Amino acid sequence: MGGYWSLRSWDARKNLLLVASYIFYGAWNPPFALLLFATTTLDYWLGARIAAAPAGARKGWLVASVTANLSMLGFFKYGNFLLENTQWLLARAGIAYHPPHLDLFLPIGISFYTFHSLSYTLDVYRGATTPTRSLRDFLLAVSFFPQLVAGPIVRAADFLPQCATPPNPLKHRLQWGLFLMSLGMFQKIVLADTLLAPVADSIFGHPGPVLPLDAWTGVIAFSGQIFFDFSGYSTCAIGAALCLGFHLKDNFLFPFAAVGFSDFWRRWHISLSTFLRDYLYFPLGGNRVGAVRAAVNLIIVMFLGGLWHGAKWTFVVWGLIHGLCLVVEHAFRTLTKDGAWKETLPAKLLLCLVTYFFVCISWVFFRAPDFSGAGLLLGAMAGQIPVGEAILTTREILQVGLVIFGLWLVQWRLRDTSLEAAIGRKPAWLIAAVWTLMLGGIILTQGSGNAFIYFQF
Amino acid sequence: MLLATLLLTALGTVAWEIRARALGYAPCLNDTSDLWADQREKVAPDSVVIIGDSRALFDMDLDALQQGLGSRPLQLALVGSCAYPILDNLANDETFHGTIICSIIPAIWLAPPEAPPYKNSLTALNRLRTRTVAQKASHHLGMLLEEQIAFMKQDDLVLSQLVAKIPVPNRAAYMAPPALPPFFATIARDRRTRMTESCVLPGALQERVKQGWIPLFSPPKFPDFMPKEVLAGMAASSEARFGQTVVAVNKIRARGGKVVFIRFPHSGELKKFEDAGLPREGPWTRLMNETGVPNIYYSDYPELVYECPEWSHLSGPQSVEFTQRLVPHLQAALAKK
């Protein structure tokens, strides 16, 4: 960072960031850095074609971009999934088909950088941004290392304007960036990997039935683990970008305090939900096309949102549960549109609890290795399995309970504000003490941690 | 604020380091999969390689072996591990035609793939195959710190271990697994492992380690839900290990490599327990007969019989003497066709 800020030329700084980003990505698997370069360059060229084309031909160039991006994503991520399902369907029709298993290596972060890049041509087509003249800036927008492999999904339209003027090394911004990086690492290393992941892993990895208390504890632990894991990465990315003078938008906004599923998706993985909203839900007609069609649109969007996470039907079911819950919530809102009782504190707390309950049910499908594992766990949660083991210690159950309750309490108190605003109101000594505790926790948790869950997507 | 945070963090870290040293900890490396992978990467076609469980790790002195065999061996033994996957890995390394000194504890060697001893070896091999440049760099930076800082003990002083030590009574239905032994050994970059002085001398730590072995080695009761086919499959996996070992050994021998099996000394109640569970006439003898591998059973040679401080491993000085005494037997075994 010292080297970066010591460079006087803004172009030199951007060049350094671009080289560093490609080294960061190529260190994992160099050939895939070429793939990243090729995808980005193609979208840069197609973006220029869309802007230059007459009105009738613009759509063709956009289709080319969407097809190229989704084909590459589909090949690497869904190739085997498609072949296996084709085999299954043909077998139902009595046709024996034995496709070869494609020995594919999933490029890390492909779902994220494909969307980074695709957002550019989509925005140029919509007129939301003008095509950039600088290939270097566009390459940097897609490959910027803090957000490259696990988000947030940064739209080129948000990033490219920041490449136009050089930022200054402001003390406040640097300090806030470092604080966010510490917070993100604390969330990931201490809260997700140390206090929650072992419980979630032992429940979801257990080959047999468990007691209801153990099953619920495991699922609740996973709900916290995936939040701290993913939010931790996003917070680190936002902090690292800030230290380099770039602003990335928030990706999480206290989702445990969500009252309803619409509210949940305004707070959870915001960069994905807004991407799907702007580029899929709205073009499908959104909620302006009648209640039934709007419900179908929601289901389609959440179906694809589930599939975006991985080539497994369990992810699709996760998405469909969210889609159904959104549809039910819209119907509920229509039926109770005049109910002032919804704004009372007890009602909000109840609706928050109901939302969390269904979010947890959906996490079972997200995390379980297959449907039989999910079924076994749901059966245990419902108390429908006659035998089951107690595999968690009382200490682990208390630990998960305390962490999740603490998380909910903090998020409930902050639900109508932002982290920066909330911290800005606290005295400096308190922030220093909390920051020290977080760093102390990180230092106490040395060793090889787990990879970020969203790296696989 | 940033300065205050850094100052407070530095003060807290120094205080914790002082506390760790007061508790008897000293700077030393952690025995991680990365440390193991470093050694595996050094294996040359004609290397002498030690594989097996913790007894091969504690009881073999690399200097004494180098003096006796003329070549410095590479230490690839792993604590609590079935070394068959490592043997198989070396057998499938077409370039390898060196010498393998392998510790055999029959109950561990026959562990099925689902069991922790087998998985431990797979974890190490997986790390070797998948670790990235960044992970290697992180490991090497970590070693520099571990050699200076006493509280960097992944098995004892990390947050997860500290939290686990909070005494909370468990539910009646909870079946507690056996506890792993506490920190009682140091390891160097070449993975030479030595028991700490506080464990060598009679006392609370030694007693705690001693009393941990029998519960740790007692097979757990399988839960009622476990299908009979799964149990039968695990038994079949153990049975298949004899044939798998023969195949691996023959591959190495076909390339001119050599293998020696060793039963290392153990004593006290643990010896009684192991002898009663799987006597020498059982799997050990069968494995030696089926593979035809030259072998050394410590109790056949009075000079190799030791009283282990905590029943399972030799102390540092004992291991030097033991290795010096073992060398002539190793030379004789390696000279056999």
Side-chain angles (χ1 to χ4, degrees):
Chain A
M1 206 159 68
Y4 170 78
W5 285 112
S6 65
L7 291 173
R8 288 194 171 184
S9 156
W10 177 222
D11 279 330
R13 278 192 226 156
K14 287 191 285 188
N15 290 340
L16 176 68
L17 282 183
L18 183 61
V19 171
S21 297
Y22 268 83
I23 289 174
F24 171 76
Y25 193 71
W28 168 70
N29 193 322
F32 285 138
L34 291 176
L35 186 72
L36 171 65
F37 179 79
T39 314
T40 317
T41 309
L42 179 66
D43 278 331
Y44 171 76
W45 184 75
L46 286 170
R49 296 283 79 71
I50 290 168
R58 285 158 55 84
K59 201 165 193 173
W61 291 112
L62 177 70
V63 169
S65 170
V66 172
T67 307
N69 279 287
L70 296 187
S71 300
M72 192 194 61
L73 185 63
F75 175 73
F76 282 104
K77 193 162 177 174
Y78 304 104
N80 282 316
F81 180 70
L82 284 172
L83 285 176
E84 285 161 16
N85 282 282
T86 306
Q87 182 185 19
W88 184 86
L89 277 174
L90 290 174
R92 299 284 81 74
I95 303 167
Y97 169 58
H98 300 288
H101 182 82
L102 303 174
D103 205 10
L104 294 175
F105 214 44
L106 185 67
I108 193 166
I110 187 170
S111 305
F112 288 96
Y113 75 68
T114 301
F115 276 23
H116 295 161
S117 188
L118 190 57
S119 75
Y120 173 68
T121 48
L122 287 166
D123 278 345
V124 171
Y125 177 79
R126 295 192 315 159
T129 191
T130 49
T132 176
R133 289 183 175 185
S134 167
L135 174 62
R136 189 268 320 279
D137 285 3
F138 184 57
L139 287 170
L140 180 59
V142 175
S143 68
F144 186 47
F145 71 88
Q147 39 86 359
L148 173 57
V149 292
I153 299 167
V154 178
R155 299 186 195 185
D158 291 328
F159 193 90
L160 286 171
Q162 299 186 55
C163 293
T165 45
N168 293 317
L170 301 174
K171 187 188 162 198
H172 169 75
R173 186 163 56 193
L174 189 67
Q175 185 165 285
W176 180 238
L178 290 173
F179 180 85
L180 288 179
M181 288 176 74
S182 307
L183 175 63
M185 280 195 280
F186 179 77
Q187 286 182 298
K188 164 64 179 166
I189 298 169
V190 177
L191 298 172
D193 286 359
T194 304
L195 298 180
L196 297 172
V199 172
D201 290 348
S202 59
I203 292 297
F204 281 94
H206 191 65
V210 294
L211 292 177
L213 177 61
D214 295 63
W216 273 105
T217 307
V219 174
I220 287 170
F222 180 69
S223 74
Q225 183 202 350
I226 193 160
F227 168 72
F228 284 129
D229 189 286
F230 191 19
S231 164
Y233 188 89
S234 293
T235 308
C236 274
I238 293 166
L242 212 50
C243 290
L244 297 165
F246 289 88
H247 286 271
L248 307 184
K249 287 181 179 170
D250 284 337
N251 207 20
F252 291 88
L253 202 64
F254 316 120
F256 276 67
V259 176
F261 271 74
S262 303
D263 193 26
F264 178 81
W265 281 103
R266 279 193 291 270
R267 298 169 179 277
W268 178 275
H269 202 172
I270 299 165
S271 61
L272 176 68
S273 61
T274 51
F275 188 100
L276 292 175
R277 182 196 64 194
D278 294 348
Y279 302 125
L280 187 59
Y281 182 64
F282 286 166
L284 284 171
N287 57 2
R288 301 185 310 274
V289 285
V292 175
R293 181 71 193 280
V296 171
N297 288 346
L298 274 175
I299 298 287
I300 291 171
V301 168
M302 294 316 294
F303 171 90
L304 292 173
L307 201 58
W308 175 86
H309 283 86
K312 275 168 73 176
W313 287 109
T314 46
F315 287 125
V316 172
V317 170
W318 172 80
L320 287 176
I321 291 173
H322 278 267
L324 280 172
C325 288
L326 283 165
V327 170
V328 170
E329 181 189 319
H330 282 202
F332 176 75
R333 280 182 192 279
T334 309
L335 289 172
T336 62
K337 62 183 174 187
D338 298 326
W341 61 272
K342 285 185 297 185
E343 298 307 314
T344 62
L345 182 64
K348 277 187 174 176
L349 286 172
L350 180 68
L351 290 173
C352 178
L353 197 65
V354 170
T355 307
Y356 181 60
F357 173 84
F358 284 106
V359 167
C360 280
I361 298 295
S362 72
W363 285 135
V364 173
F365 290 94
F366 192 95
R367 175 64 176 81
D370 48 39
F371 284 113
S372 76
L376 196 63
L377 200 54
L378 286 171
M381 289 161 76
Q384 296 301 306
I385 308 269
V387 290
E389 279 192 284
I391 63 168
L392 299 177
T393 63
T394 306
R395 192 261 309 160
E396 285 173 318
I397 294 167
L398 291 173
Q399 182 177 305
V400 170
L402 281 172
V403 171
I404 298 298
F405 181 70
L407 170 66
W408 176 81
L409 200 62
V410 168
Q411 297 210 348
W412 184 261
R413 290 195 61 165
L414 299 180
R415 69 188 300 274
D416 296 322
T417 181
S418 69
L419 186 65
E420 193 167 8
I423 287 184
R425 289 195 292 269
K426 302 292 177 213
W429 66 265
L430 184 61
I431 301 166
V434 170
W435 199 348
T436 302
L437 283 176
M438 290 195 302
L439 291 177
I442 294 166
I443 289 169
L444 271 181
T445 317
Q446 359 90 26
S448 54
N450 303 330
F452 286 93
I453 294 174
Y454 267 69
F455 275 8
Q456 64 187 296
F457 306 139
Chain B
M1 185 164 57
L2 177 60
L3 199 63
T5 302
L6 292 175
L7 199 65
L8 284 170
T9 306
L11 282 173
T13 307
V14 170
W16 180 234
E17 174 69 4
I18 292 168
R19 174 74 179 145
R21 288 178 190 245
L23 289 169
Y25 294 94
C28 80
L29 298 179
N30 288 295
D31 186 13
T32 60
S33 293
D34 277 312
L35 197 64
W36 184 90
D38 286 349
Q39 295 303 302
R40 177 61 185 88
E41 282 177 355
K42 287 180 187 168
V43 172
D46 59 348
S47 290
V48 177
V49 178
I50 302 167
I51 66 172
D53 43 75
S54 59
R55 289 181 190 157
L57 200 60
F58 279 71
D59 299 359
M60 298 289 254
D61 181 62
L62 302 182
D63 293 335
L65 275 175
Q66 185 177 7
Q67 273 187 337
L69 300 179
S71 161
R72 189 166 185 83
L74 293 163
Q75 180 55 274
L76 293 183
L78 281 163
V79 169
S81 299
C82 161
Y84 167 71
I86 315 288
L87 180 74
D88 184 54
N89 172 260
L90 290 165
N92 289 320
D93 180 348
E94 292 293 335
T95 63
F96 181 75
H97 54 81
T99 301
I100 296 176
I101 301 168
C102 177
S103 166
I104 299 275
I105 298 175
I108 295 182
W109 186 261
L110 300 178
E114 300 85 359
Y118 197 98
K119 285 183 179 170
N120 287 347
S121 291
L122 293 185
T123 301
L125 284 167
N126 191 44
R127 188 67 172 178
L128 172 75
R129 293 186 190 113
T130 62
R131 66 180 179 160
T132 61
V133 177
Q135 286 167 333
K136 264 190 192 182
S138 168
H139 161 60
H140 285 278
L141 280 173
M143 284 199 296
L144 292 175
L145 292 173
E146 287 166 21
E147 285 169 340
Q148 306 300 325
I149 300 171
F151 72 71
M152 295 186 78
K153 297 284 172 293
Q154 289 180 14
D155 294 335
D156 254 31
L157 296 179
V158 289
L159 187 63
S160 56
Q161 296 296 324
L162 296 171
V163 170
K165 285 176 189 164
I166 297 171
V168 179
N170 274 314
R171 297 171 288 168
Y174 177 71
M175 303 274 286
L180 293 169
F183 172 77
F184 72 105
T186 61
I187 190 163
R189 288 191 180 218
D190 59 4
R191 299 190 74 248
R192 171 67 168 105
T193 304
R194 289 170 194 272
M195 196 181 290
T196 57
E197 276 304 301
S198 51
C199 186
V200 173
L201 301 170
L205 177 63
Q206 190 189 85
E207 200 54 32
R208 202 174 141 205
V209 177
K210 263 183 190 174
Q211 299 307 328
W213 295 130
I214 292 173
L216 189 64
F217 293 150
S218 301
K221 176 187 169 291
F222 290 109
D224 299 333
F225 68 80
M226 188 83 89
K228 283 181 182 163
E229 309 84 68
V230 174
L231 297 177
M234 288 165 76
S237 296
S238 294
E239 175 62 28
R241 186 61 39 76
F242 292 96
Q244 290 167 342
T245 309
V246 171
V247 171
V249 165
N250 286 345
K251 278 186 191 172
I252 292 163
R253 284 174 152 178
R255 296 195 294 264
K258 293 178 178 180
V259 183
V260 183
F261 287 150
I262 302 181
R263 186 76 161 111
F264 282 92
H266 48 293
S267 58
E269 294 301 313
L270 183 60
K271 175 172 161 46
K272 289 180 197 165
F273 176 81
E274 286 189 24
D275 288 349
L278 287 175
R280 180 177 179 174
E281 298 73 32
W284 166 271
T285 304
R286 184 179 161 194
L287 194 65
M288 299 310 123
N289 288 341
E290 291 190 13
T291 58
V293 167
N295 59 83
I296 302 164
Y297 202 100
Y298 78 100
S299 58
D300 289 344
Y301 309 99
E303 72 273 23
L304 299 184
V305 176
Y306 281 81
E307 194 64 36
C308 303
E310 35 66 285
W311 295 346
S312 189
H313 309 96
L314 301 176
S315 69
Q318 280 180 322
S319 69
V320 176
E321 186 184 78
F322 170 81
T323 310
Q324 286 165 344
R325 292 175 178 182
L326 182 71
V327 164
H329 300 290
L330 266 176
Q331 286 169 331
L334 291 170
K336 286 180 187 169
K337 286 284 175 189

